[in-house]
Amino acid sequence: IMLLTDPEIESSLLISSDEGATYQKYRLNFYIQSLLFHPKQEDWILAYSQDQKLYSSAEFGRRWQLIQEGVVPNRFYWSVMGSNKEPDLVHLEARTVDGHSQYLTCRMQNCTEANRNKPFPGYIDPDSLIVQDDYVFVQLTSGGRPHYYVSYRRNTFAQMKLPKYALPKDMHVISTDENQVFAAVQEWNQNDTYNLYISDTRGVYFTLALENVQSSRGPEGNVMIDLYEVAGIKGMFLANKKIDNQVKTFITYNKGRDWRLLQAPDTDLRGDPVHCLLPYCSLHLHLKVSENPYTSGIIASRDTAPSIIVASGNIGSELSDSDISMFVSSDAGNTWRQIFEEEHSVLYLDQGGVLVAMKHTSLPIRHLWLSFDEGRSWSKYSFTSIPLFVDGVLGEPGEETLIMTVFGHFSHRSEWQLVKVDYKSIFDRRCAEEDYRPWQLHSQGEACIMGAKRIYKKRKSERKCMQGKYAGAMESEPCVCTEADFDCDYGYERHSNGQCLPAFWFNPSSLSKDCSLGQSYLNSTGYRKVVSNNCTDGVREQYTAKPQKCPGKAPRGLRIVTADGKLTAEQGHNVTLMVQLEEGDVQRTLIVDFGDGIAVSYVNLSSTEDGIKHVYHNVGIFRVTVQVDNSLGSDSAVLYLHVTCPLEHVHLSLPFVTTKNKEVNATAVLWPSQVGTLTYVWWYGNNTEPLITLEGSISFKFTSEGMNTITVQVSAGNAILQDTKTIAVYEEFRSLRLSFSPNLDDYNPDIPEWRRDISRVIKKSLVEATGVPGQHILVAVLPGLPTAAELFVLPYQDPTGENKRSAEDLEQISELLIHKLNQNSVHFELKPGVQVLVHAAHLTAAPLVDLTPTHSGSAMLMLLSVVFVGLAVFVIYKFKRKIPGINVYAQMQNEKEREMVSRVSHPESRPHIPQTELRRPGQLIDEKVESQLIGE
């Protein structure tokens, strides 16, 4: 026995090996959320922690070992005996650091990185791994559509094939019994219904079994399909189908090959006749199974009582939640009897030999009902002297159970009360062979079901003996095969005349595409025998697929795609290419040219089934060509593959200030610089539509004054990065180059954040030293060393447009600033004991830096012609560090030439600064806008 402590108090296990007489406590260093016990090895346990880690124990919880971190809740499984050679193999779905899911397997005590396997290549959709019997299922969404993959007996995954235009948006695996998959699929045009599909043995090819089965949402949001598999009779299902907004119950005895409505009882509980004529009126059942293990569902059947089905439902034209009664069938759904007018919980005792019924009610009860004759008659028994609010019923383990425990409350404030009910005293002996009679399974008189006649032993209703080994015993005799034992094969549909004919989208000859001349393949007749059907002879030979020689075909329909369906790949990473051919012999020559100077050849296409892997070491667009040849012809295909590397950073480079109607250059600087195929989306000014380019720079003009925001978005593969800058537009302004005492360079890390902060400090010092309003001043520290900055003298006018400052006003402000700078009046304290002086370099009305990303040939010649001027500037800057104001209008051409020298000497671009007009204090640049202006 294992008990878990309350995690709010402590994290421990209490383990008893003597049926609860004594317990030993084992402390844990994690908090358990759920446990999964091995189906065969009773001491092997998987524990899932609250922080999504999976642990294993081979000692019934006494010691634990971490298996994997980041495991998806409820997506871990023990190995299936028979399908896995190692009984300690664990299947799990784990999340990677970047949030993707992948399917992993490893041994419970040896789950290191080196010992983990990835049975499914690549990533899978989150929360999609299912391991059930011989099958493993995963889902992968590409192109907006989910694709489902299955592995049968742990072989290579294959894509599950539904009819071509099913286009599923959701799938649930209902059953994997008897080497076949029953799946509920919600198709593109369905909302509250699902279609039932049934597969071949491998779980790959699916055919339609029933359309529009009703579905609902459970209390935790999980999808519940109204389908019930009857226990004890293979191939028998009940389903609620929606027809013209009415839900009706149907039954099948051959795994969905044929369905029919349920015949209502002839009489009601009082013996009065029931007038219910098929197909207008029938019996409808509720098919939901209880999720609570301590309460029975509203429908029940047992393997040891194969003919008995108990369910709640109603009689009429459709399923209803009102007028619910209880019904029983003792002949496997052919006929039904009403047993109660109100809903009851019904349990099976003595392997179905006894039925126990307790009323569904919120009131306390003290009676239960027993039936020894399959629900034909009922006896009332008292199981408690005080009425009990029943919470649930628990049967003792074992097939021959005759004991059940009822638990509940005598009042809403009382403790749990457990009442043990023992039925052994009812029986005085065990049943003998003469107490049984034969009963033949049939469907409306047809005895051959699933290709066999099955005869069961049933206890005679008048014998009150305890059932033994004869319960559920059956004899089987195969039947001769008829058309009813065959379903339509994949790609075929049943028409009104009963024939299976190809669907409009299906080409029967496509089945021979993986076929070589001289070999043979199974040519479908349009029919396939229902899986687990045991019929022999008859039409079996006629309907079974025939081996047929592979026809000689020239290659046709050649395609090359990536394994994930994308047209992009990452530099330095494996890309898997898949070659597909509609038809043509397998034995042929295949040549793949990757477009980067490397090509490979293959003798036959089958050697590329797992894909062709290749690594591109450069970015760019590569033309991948594939050609296939055989003796009858050839075919080729092309794929243009975009190889990229991840884009990490985008920086928009443009001037801080510009002149109205002057062309401005903006450049997107990327890191890394070579990332592959890019698309640039530009938003600037008041434009409502973006400008889209393939180049990383554009030119534009602003026709009105004010602040303008420019945004560039760069699309690289699946990633989109952007940067935004603000530019001020004026007719007239002044600019001044600033320099600093050399000690500032010692503390300059040359990053944008530092430059922005220093710019604010310099502006504050200028305002304090000169008294010039802050609206007139903008400071931008430039990238690179030695440290330099630009001081902009900006115009201002009030909102009415009056009191507009003249060019002379700008000159006066500029002269005042230069005067204070030359007097060493502008300084700031960088840190305690470190004073930095700010100096004036020169004043200009022309742009100091041309941000054009590339230089033309003439520009380079001009650059060489002014190199001496650049050297002169450098000497003055290095040794003088203070230059008096210069008349800007006389020096514009020389300043243009100096820009180009500056452009070469600094790796990062400098601002583009023309002249503008002056405005009055009160409106211009707030600190937020200024922060944007003086960024990189």
Side-chain angles (χ1 to χ4, degrees), residues 340-356:
F340 298 107
E341 289 184 326
E342 294 176 291
E343 203 165 0
H344 284 63
S345 293
V346 177
L347 296 98
Y348 289 69
L349 291 177
D350 187 30
Q351 304 186 71
V354 179
L355 298 178
V356 182

Side-chain angles (χ1 to χ4, degrees), residues 25-209:
K25 180 184 285 189
Y26 294 87
R27 291 195 177 275
L28 303 173
N29 60 0
F30 60 94
Y31 290 92
I32 292 178
Q33 183 168 314
S34 61
L35 294 172
L36 183 66
F37 291 83
H38 194 278
K40 299 293 184 182
Q41 302 288 339
E42 61 182 21
D43 287 341
W44 293 2
I45 312 171
L46 297 178
Y48 187 70
S49 70
Q50 293 180 0
D51 56 354
Q52 298 189 340
K53 295 178 181 177
L54 188 66
Y55 297 84
S56 68
S57 174
E59 303 173 44
F60 199 71
R62 294 175 178 87
R63 280 192 290 187
W64 293 92
Q65 183 172 326
L66 177 65
I67 292 182
Q68 176 70 34
E69 298 183 5
V71 177
V72 178
N74 302 317
R75 298 295 173 180
F76 49 91
Y77 309 86
W78 282 110
S79 64
V80 177
M81 304 306 292
S83 293
N84 291 109
K85 295 178 182 178
E86 306 93 353
D88 63 341
L89 194 69
V90 178
H91 304 256
L92 58 91
E93 179 183 331
R95 288 197 178 96
T96 60
V97 177
D98 53 1
H100 292 103
S101 285
Q102 55 186 356
Y103 167 33
L104 304 176
T105 61
C106 61
R107 310 287 285 271
M108 63 179 287
Q109 297 292 314
N110 187 19
C111 198
T112 62
E113 183 70 33
N115 293 319
R116 293 189 195 114
N117 290 318
K118 297 178 182 178
F120 185 82
Y123 299 127
I124 64 175
D125 286 357
D127 207 33
S128 71
L129 174 67
I130 298 174
V131 180
Q132 194 167 305
D133 296 328
D134 285 337
Y135 302 91
V136 179
F137 305 92
V138 296
Q139 177 181 321
L140 180 63
T141 298
S142 65
R145 292 181 185 171
H147 302 280
Y148 303 94
Y149 295 83
V150 61
S151 167
Y152 177 59
R153 292 186 175 174
R154 309 305 181 256
N155 291 315
T156 305
F157 276 88
Q159 187 170 345
M160 297 163 67
K161 300 289 187 181
L162 292 166
K164 187 173 182 179
Y165 296 106
L167 304 180
K169 56 184 180 182
D170 190 27
M171 176 185 286
H172 296 272
V173 176
I174 303 296
S175 167
T176 52
D177 295 341
E178 299 174 330
N179 295 321
Q180 192 170 33
V181 180
F182 225 130
V185 177
Q186 189 169 55
E187 301 187 17
W188 63 274
N189 57 350
Q190 294 178 307
N191 293 316
D192 59 350
T193 60
Y194 282 71
N195 289 348
L196 290 181
Y197 284 91
I198 196 161
S199 77
D200 60 349
T201 299
R202 294 191 303 130
V204 174
Y205 291 98
F206 284 78
T207 55
L208 184 65

